[in-house]
Amino acid sequence: MGITQTTWADPLDYLRATGPFDPVLFLSPAALQAQAQRYLDGFPGLVTYAVKANPEEAVITNLAAAGISGFDVASPEEIALIRRLVPGAALHYNNPVRARHEIVFAVGHDVASYSVDSQSELDKLLAHVPQRRRGGEPTEITARFKLPVTGAAYDFGAKFGATEELATELLRRIAAAGFTPSLTFHPGTQCTDPAAWEAYIRAAGRISAAAGVTPARLNTGGGFPSHRIEETRPALEAIFARIGEVSAEVFGADAPALVCEPGRGLVADAFAALARIKALRDAGDGGQAHVFLNDGIYGAFAELPLMGAMDRIRAFSPDGRERRGARTGRIVFGPTCDSVDRLPGLAMLPADMEEGDFLLVQGMGAYSVVTNTRFNGFGALAVQMVMTLEP
Ligand SMILES: *Cc1c(COP(=O)(O)O)cnc(C)c1O
């Protein structure tokens, strides 16, 4: 089944062999499986993967091969994808707003857990979801709560999450209705400070005490950071340790089983993006020429305007020689005619770059393949397999 794809030694191997005109994302299955292993070894509970960050089939199958057995899904499409690729996986349907036909679809695909953050959405779940699943195990419903944001690059609480008071009522109602009662939160994305998780776990303790219900599980969300800035390596183990310690302190002997659902933190650093310089256009003011790439914010760089610049970028000539000139700040535009199609800030790039050169950007696996558009006729983005990402 499937197409046998060439595995290249590294991105330069591919660049030299093909000289691509369209943008490319490189996946290193070895890097992805190693990152999965880091979570499986370090996180004090069940590691699930948030499919929305990157639903490429090679991502899902490699995570499953590494031992990831649970998936956070948000739509019937994602549910069907995981059931097809990893039939025995535990599905956690953690989009707290669902149409009734989507709930019925989820029940038909034996979803194990549903999150909820409002009474009206809990009414819908109670109307359509049986207390017991096919094999007889109880169905879990998790009350999702929010706090004022700390430490996240992007505020998820603005859309989803109940107040502590509402979460208390939801948790009580879930238990009374005969479902496995649990709690969940999502601290944001690219959170670098363990304190973000600590504040939520303490709130989970307050909600559980006020409800008089001990949650079976506490899902500590995603939000784990990836390596975006060369000098700042994500301190995942410090975050894992803090989650375990605070949960033990808050809940004592009754500590709920822990779950996490990283998207970015699992997948981002398993990919690198390759974009080609279409033009170095005279800025007209005697300053540095503006760089025009064949990829931009409607393509693999979609989330940069929200998340901020990244600096793990190297430049190569078409025959694969690295440009080692002094780095200067450049304005970088994407290929579309839209004026917002520009990377944030200035990119520090070598002064000896030329038209036709390539930029290789590390850490590009999250919210890139899946948010790519075909706007303006661009966006022919291919995924290639490599052994290693850094030439
Ligand atoms: C998006 C999302 C995640 C994954 O977030 P990352 O920041 O990519 O880790 C996890 N859980 C929920 C509920 C989400 O919506």
Side-chain angles (χ1 to χ4, degrees), residues 50 52-53 72 94-96 115 144 156 160 184-186 188-190 219 221-224 261-266 366-367:
K52 80 170 187 282
D72 162 31
N94 287 344
N95 179 345
S115 74
R144 176 165 167 182
F156 272 81
F160 293 133
T184 189
F185 60 84
H186 182 55
T189 197
Q190 188 67 22
N219 184 331
F224 299 88
E261 50 186 21
R264 175 191 312 285
L266 264 176
Y367 310 105

Side-chain angles (χ1 to χ4, degrees), residues 25 40 46 54 71 121 149 152 160 178 276 316 320 327 329 356 391:
L25 277 163
L40 291 166
L46 177 69
N54 188 328
F71 293 84
E121 287 298 301
V149 198
F160 293 133
R276 194 159 194 179
F316 296 91
R327 292 197 173 229

Side-chain angles (χ1 to χ4, degrees), residues 95-115:
N95 179 345
V97 178
R98 309 167 186 87
R100 285 175 200 271
H101 75 273
E102 292 173 330
I103 299 173
V104 170
F105 185 94
V107 170
H109 287 73
D110 202 27
V111 162
S113 178
Y114 298 79
S115 74

Side-chain angles (χ1 to χ4, degrees), residues 278 281 291-293 295-299 305 331-343 373 375-378:
K278 297 177 67 172
R281 196 177 71 168
V291 180
F292 280 71
L293 297 180
D295 200 4
I297 71 155
Y298 292 98
I331 292 176
V332 180
F333 289 107
T336 71
C337 299
D338 191 334
S339 56
V340 306
D341 190 4
R342 181 191 155 170
L343 303 193
T373 77
F375 181 46
N376 241 186
F378 297 104

Side-chain angles (χ1 to χ4, degrees), residues 239-298:
I239 296 171
F240 297 155
R242 184 82 70 96
I243 289 172
E245 286 154 18
V246 177
S247 171
E249 182 205 317
V250 166
F251 290 96
D254 277 345
L258 294 171
V259 182
C260 68
E261 50 186 21
R264 175 191 312 285
L266 264 176
V267 80
D269 294 326
F271 281 78
L274 188 74
R276 194 159 194 179
I277 298 175
K278 297 177 67 172
L280 286 171
R281 196 177 71 168
D282 186 350
D285 57 4
Q288 289 281 344
H290 293 168
V291 180
F292 280 71
L293 297 180
N294 64 352
D295 200 4
I297 71 155
Y298 292 98

Side-chain angles (χ1 to χ4, degrees), residues 287-372:
Q288 289 281 344
H290 293 168
V291 180
F292 280 71
L293 297 180
N294 64 352
D295 200 4
I297 71 155
Y298 292 98
F301 300 111
E303 65 157 23
L304 261 62
L306 270 173
M307 297 294 301
M310 32 213 303
D311 73 350
R312 300 175 63 207
I313 307 177
R314 293 163 71 189
F316 296 91
S317 69
D319 58 1
R321 275 174 302 114
E322 182 156 13
R323 300 293 187 190
R324 296 183 182 278
R327 292 197 173 229
T328 56
R330 301 281 197 117
I331 292 176
V332 180
F333 289 107
T336 71
C337 299
D338 191 334
S339 56
V340 306
D341 190 4
R342 181 191 155 170
L343 303 193
L346 295 178
M348 297 301 290
L349 297 171
D352 54 342
M353 287 185 324
E354 292 179 8
E355 178 186 326
D357 280 1
F358 293 87
L359 297 186
L360 181 65
V361 187
Q362 297 293 331
M364 287 294 303
Y367 310 105
S368 52
V369 188
V370 68
T371 48
N372 178 58

